[in-house]
Amino acid sequence: MTTIPRPMALLAELTYRCPLQCPFCSNPLELARYRDELHTSVWQRVLGEASELGVAQVHFSGGEPLVRRDLVELVRTARERDLYSNLSTGATMATPEKLSQLRSAGLDALQISLPDSDSAANDWLTGASSFKQKRAAVAAARELDFPITLNVVLHRHNLDRLTEIIRLATDWQVDRLELAHTQYTGWAFRNRARLLPTRGQVERAEEVVAVAELKLAGRLQILHVLPDYFQEYPKACLNGWGSTFLTVAPDGVVLPCQTAREIPQLSFPTVHDQSLEQIWFNAPVFQQFRGCDWMPEPCRSCERREQDFGGCRCQAFLMTGDPAATDPVCQLSPDHHLIAQSKAEAAQSQEELAYRVMPTAQ
């Protein structure tokens, strides 16, 4: 019997509320379904259970976690439970006062999203004025000695400004620049035809990053997450489904990955009914795609099966309708033609971007 590893990290999606409307967001399309957010006391219990389960790091995310009035209290709980904590924020609400409170409560690191280095383009992509607030938040975080990651989701509309994005990261003196090509789930999948870059853009981006990594070695750490649709083989789904990470959604549903709700035929447990330990080790949905036994051909006999674990289950479902299918990104997949079809459709698309919108009433 295969030993089930304990999870290393918890993604705590505190809320899907957000003042920004980014069309590349991976949050679910039906945002209004997730109004009933966990109370502070429940999140505190979840953090305690995560620590007891062996989790070492909690990543507070959303939506925009800063809309939660209890965020400082939750960060303090994470510190009391010896959890390394990181906050992912759009930074429009990251005032110096709030950042100082979070630092005092024990927040370890900060990840700030930046859609573009150009102010007007940034504000166009977020659907709101946000560039100045992001720049001010980075400056305030530096004053507090926060380790800062600048996260830039890459796509057709900003890839050609990659040199400027890297220069801005050095000017803002962040510690780490995460260049992550769009993962097409949620709102990003809805906008795929308008976000997919060209192969030429992707190849130029690789060249720009390679030069920057040499030039800035020791000054700026650059992580470049390559785009699935332009690779020969898929990425492992979070190091394998139910092997390293778990997500707790705003309403308390526990997921093997943050976008697993894209697969409607799966049934997910909640923290209202079971502990994290019970869910991690016993919930059928966590077992469903764990390891390799579930795999169809060509994955089952592939020598790469323990490297990529068949790829992304959500991507497989969204493109084929079957969550157990080989990720179409894989050149060995019988559905690989769907990737070329998607890129061809994107090259011809004249669709307008659909901005992420959540009803404001709570």
Side-chain angles (χ1 to χ4, degrees):
M1 181 176 178
T2 303
T3 301
I4 299 173
R6 290 181 176 268
M8 295 175 57
L10 166 67
L11 177 63
E13 293 190 313
L14 301 180
T15 180
Y16 287 142
R17 290 175 287 158
C18 184
L20 303 181
Q21 299 176 309
C22 306
F24 49 81
C25 182
S26 62
N27 281 174
L29 292 177
E30 298 178 6
L31 292 167
R33 291 177 56 189
Y34 308 105
R35 295 184 187 279
D36 294 332
E37 298 173 3
L38 295 181
H39 291 189
T40 305
S41 60
V42 180
W43 271 118
Q44 289 175 319
R45 172 172 62 80
V46 167
L47 292 170
E49 291 177 356
S51 178
E52 293 169 4
L53 184 56
V55 166
Q57 174 176 329
V58 58
H59 186 88
F60 292 110
S61 184
E64 173 51 72
L66 282 166
V67 305
R68 290 276 305 211
R69 295 180 181 178
D70 58 357
L71 179 58
V72 171
E73 192 172 349
L74 296 180
V75 167
R76 185 174 294 112
T77 299
R79 168 55 54 228
E80 292 169 352
R81 294 293 187 167
D82 293 323
L83 294 168
Y84 181 94
S85 60
N86 181 62
L87 173 67
S88 178
T89 174
T92 57
M93 303 174 70
T95 63
E97 294 77 17
K98 180 61 70 174
L99 291 175
S100 179
Q101 292 171 9
L102 290 167
R103 194 60 160 155
S104 297
L107 184 67
D108 292 292
L110 200 62
Q111 178 177 295
I112 294 176
S113 65
L114 181 76
D116 206 309
S117 59
D118 177 80
S119 176
N122 175 92
D123 293 353
W124 171 67
L125 284 165
T126 60
S129 177
S130 62
F131 185 85
K132 291 180 180 179
Q133 295 97 312
K134 292 173 183 289
R135 180 173 57 195
V138 169
R142 283 179 48 221
E143 289 293 321
L144 293 165
D145 291 324
F146 267 117
I148 306 170
T149 295
L150 199 62
N151 175 263
V152 182
V153 177
L154 299 174
H155 44 74
R156 181 193 309 180
H157 301 286
N158 62 8
L159 259 181
D160 294 334
R161 282 190 288 276
L162 193 49
T163 297
E164 289 78 8
I165 289 170
I166 295 171
R167 183 183 303 122
L168 179 145
T170 60
D171 290 346
W172 287 8
Q173 299 179 39
V174 300
D175 302 283
R176 188 169 181 259
L177 175 62
E178 185 176 280
L179 302 168
H181 286 259
T182 304
Q183 189 71 27
Y184 294 101
T185 57
W187 288 88
F189 187 77
R190 166 68 179 80
N191 286 297
R192 181 179 60 172
R194 284 298 311 277
L195 294 172
L196 268 172
T198 65
R199 179 168 293 279
Q201 284 183 303
V202 172
E203 291 174 349
R204 287 192 295 274
E206 288 190 83
E207 294 172 359
V208 168
V209 171
V211 170
E213 286 177 327
L214 288 174
K215 180 180 179 181
L216 299 172
R219 293 175 54 197
L220 176 67
Q221 181 185 1
I222 301 176
L223 173 63
H224 188 202
V225 181
L226 297 172
D228 284 5
Y229 282 45
F230 293 87
Q231 306 304 304
E232 293 183 349
Y233 300 105
K235 300 180 184 71
C237 180
L238 297 176
N239 295 330
W241 180 279
S243 69
T244 308
F245 301 90
L246 76 162
T247 296
V248 177
D251 58 350
V253 167
V254 186
L255 306 166
C257 84
Q258 65 265 35
T259 60
R261 270 176 163 166
E262 295 277 20
I263 308 173
Q265 58 262 55
L266 298 184
S267 178
F268 301 101
T270 82
V271 298
H272 297 295
D273 302 322
Q274 300 177 60
S275 70
L276 286 188
E277 182 166 5
Q278 290 172 322
I279 291 169
W280 180 260
F281 288 109
N282 301 318
V285 75
F286 273 76
Q287 311 285 347
Q288 192 153 351
F289 301 114
R290 186 178 264 157
C292 301
D293 291 345
W294 62 272
M295 291 180 177
E297 294 292 354
C299 296
R300 180 178 291 273
S301 57
C302 181
E303 62 183 14
R304 294 179 54 86
R305 65 184 177 277
E306 294 186 9
Q307 292 177 251
D308 57 39
F309 299 98
C312 177
R313 298 301 88 222
C314 299
Q315 191 156 263
F317 171 76
L318 288 169
M319 297 192 74
T320 73
D322 180 5
T326 301
D327 189 333
V329 163
C330 183
Q331 63 178 354
L332 303 176
S333 166
D335 300 303
H336 185 62
H337 65 280
L338 296 175
I339 295 295
Q341 180 181 318
S342 297
K343 289 188 285 191
E345 290 172 355
Q348 302 296 322
S349 176
Q350 299 298 318
E351 291 182 17
E352 295 295 323
L353 287 170
Y355 285 86
R356 176 197 189 280
V357 177
M358 183 172 186
T360 55
Q362 290 293 318

